Amino acid sequence: MVKVVGVRFKHAGKIYYFDPVDIVLTAGDAVVVETVRGVEYGEVVVAPKEIEADDVVQPLKQVLRKATEEDVQKREENTAKEKTAFNIGLEKIERHGLPMKLVDVEYTFDGSKITFYFTADGRVDFRELVKDLASVFRTRIELRQIGVRDQAKMLGGLGPCGRFLCCATFLGDFEPVSIRMAKEQNLSLNPSKISGICGRLMCCLKFETELYKGGKEPDTKPASEGNGLCPLRAEGDSAGDGGSGEKEQKQSFSAHSEPTHDAQEKSADKEAEKPEHSKGKGSRNRKKRYRRPRNRPKKGQQPKGEDKSGR
């Protein structure tokens, strides 16, 4: 068993687990932890607990200390610097004429790196932009392209339901959502009805999917209803008499397919009433077309091999 504590760095962000060492922590405490990106400032959202060692992603980083007043003040200073860096980034992007939209700027806690988040329709060559920004801030610069769902999570807003966006409120990770979930819930398939402000399918379609799957009743219709089978065949299959139902079905079909003696007489009378020219193969009432023999000359044309003198 390993003792861990859950820390979140952004509001409604992903939860990361760290080793609390011997520090006494409770939910809501501000802490300074060591991460792959460097030293970061976060908030404890999961109180210390013990879990299996196999469930932990190794190596497990440690919590350095509880946040002090100096740490809180430094965090506020970084927030103010992020607003300034955002405005500078907009100016540089406009100067270079790049087809990209700046979404957010983030400083690391120790100020060793600045991350610029942006969206774009395709790949963007921002190498010159990075050099320009590095010359201004004199620190490491990272430009990270994100999708429209991440953009909505960072900016926030109101959804079609009138409430704040789920992704910006409490969702830590995005789960896959498909149009099949809307079909299972008997919702309208109109894109404007089931899409969020990001233009993608709403995340809330995932919430009740399992409930709709579990509430479906099994199909209790008999085999002879709505399955396209003959009732006689269905009865024979259900009886289990080794194919007797199939024999009955063949007999019923043959009984209907053989014409009776009265039917034969009626058909003979109708055939006798037909006119002679309509009987047989050439019964079509249309004028025959005259065709000239191939060797017969046309009217007024001299036959071949004869001259006008009759020789």
Side-chain angles (χ1 to χ4, degrees):
M1 302 294 287
V2 180
K3 189 176 183 181
V4 297
V5 60
V7 179
R8 181 177 284 168
F9 301 104
K10 293 182 179 180
H11 179 68
K14 188 176 179 180
I15 300 176
Y16 298 88
Y17 291 94
F18 296 88
D19 182 7
V21 197
D22 296 330
I23 303 174
V24 179
L25 299 172
T26 58
D29 291 343
V31 293
V32 177
V33 297
E34 180 185 358
T35 66
V36 178
R37 305 192 326 177
V39 179
E40 291 288 347
Y41 178 96
E43 180 183 356
V44 177
V45 292
V46 178
K49 63 178 182 180
E50 292 185 353
I51 60 175
E52 296 291 338
D54 297 336
D55 298 336
V56 179
V57 179
Q58 300 292 341
L60 190 63
K61 300 292 184 178
Q62 296 182 353
V63 176
L64 299 180
R65 61 181 182 274
K66 273 188 177 182
T68 61
E69 294 183 359
E70 296 179 357
D71 295 331
V72 175
Q73 185 177 359
K74 188 174 183 179
R75 173 61 178 171
E76 294 177 354
E77 292 176 358
N78 289 340
T79 304
K81 290 180 181 179
E82 290 172 356
K83 295 180 180 179
T84 305
F86 185 86
N87 295 330
I88 296 175
L90 289 177
E91 295 177 0
K92 298 297 182 181
I93 291 173
E94 185 177 359
R95 180 179 301 177
H96 288 272
L98 298 176
M100 54 192 296
K101 180 181 178 182
L102 188 61
V103 177
D104 195 13
V105 178
E106 180 183 358
Y107 265 79
T108 56
F109 181 71
D110 55 1
S112 59
K113 186 174 70 172
I114 307 175
T115 305
F116 291 83
Y117 298 94
F118 71 94
T119 59
D121 295 335
R123 296 179 62 88
V124 181
D125 185 7
F126 47 75
R127 288 175 292 183
E128 296 298 328
L129 177 62
V130 172
K131 294 178 181 178
D132 200 357
L133 292 174
S135 63
V136 174
F137 295 103
R138 300 292 179 179
T139 185
R140 184 181 174 188
I141 302 295
E142 178 183 355
L143 270 75
R144 184 177 300 178
Q145 186 173 357
I146 61 175
V148 290
R149 300 182 76 183
D150 294 303
Q151 178 186 4
K153 184 181 181 69
M154 289 183 176
L155 299 180
L158 297 177
C161 59
R163 301 177 64 87
F164 290 103
L165 298 180
C166 300
C167 58
T169 307
F170 59 88
L171 287 182
D173 268 336
F174 290 109
E175 296 186 4
V177 183
S178 64
I179 194 68
R180 190 175 184 179
M181 298 178 181
K183 293 180 180 179
E184 291 175 348
Q185 301 177 38
N186 295 326
L187 297 176
S188 173
L189 300 183
N190 187 354
S192 62
K193 300 291 185 181
I194 57 177
S195 300
I197 64 174
C198 60
R200 301 290 188 268
L201 293 175
M202 293 189 293
C203 299
C204 56
L205 294 177
K206 178 73 174 178
F207 297 165
E208 299 182 1
T209 301
E210 298 299 329
L211 181 63
Y212 276 86
K213 286 182 179 179
K216 286 186 177 180
E217 297 181 358
D219 189 9
T220 57
K221 290 183 178 181
S224 61
E225 294 184 9
N227 53 6
L229 298 177
C230 178
L232 295 175
R233 184 173 181 180
E235 292 177 1
D237 295 342
S238 61
D241 54 356
S244 62
E246 186 177 357
K247 293 180 180 179
E248 292 177 4
Q249 182 184 7
K250 291 182 179 179
Q251 292 176 1
S252 63
F253 288 160
S254 62
H256 289 292
S257 61
E258 294 179 359
T260 59
H261 182 67
D262 296 338
Q264 292 178 356
E265 290 182 354
K266 289 181 180 180
S267 61
D269 295 341
K270 289 182 179 180
E271 188 69 23
E273 292 176 358
K274 292 182 179 180
E276 294 182 0
H277 65 82
S278 64
K279 296 180 181 179
K281 185 176 181 180
S283 60
R284 295 183 179 179
N285 297 328
R286 66 181 183 182
K287 187 177 180 180
K288 291 186 177 181
R289 186 177 179 182
Y290 175 76
R291 294 185 178 180
R292 180 179 57 82
R294 182 174 298 178
N295 297 330
R296 184 176 177 180
K298 295 182 180 180
K299 188 176 180 180
Q301 183 179 2
Q302 186 71 18
K304 294 182 179 180
E306 297 182 2
D307 53 2
K308 294 183 179 180
S309 62
R311 293 179 184 178

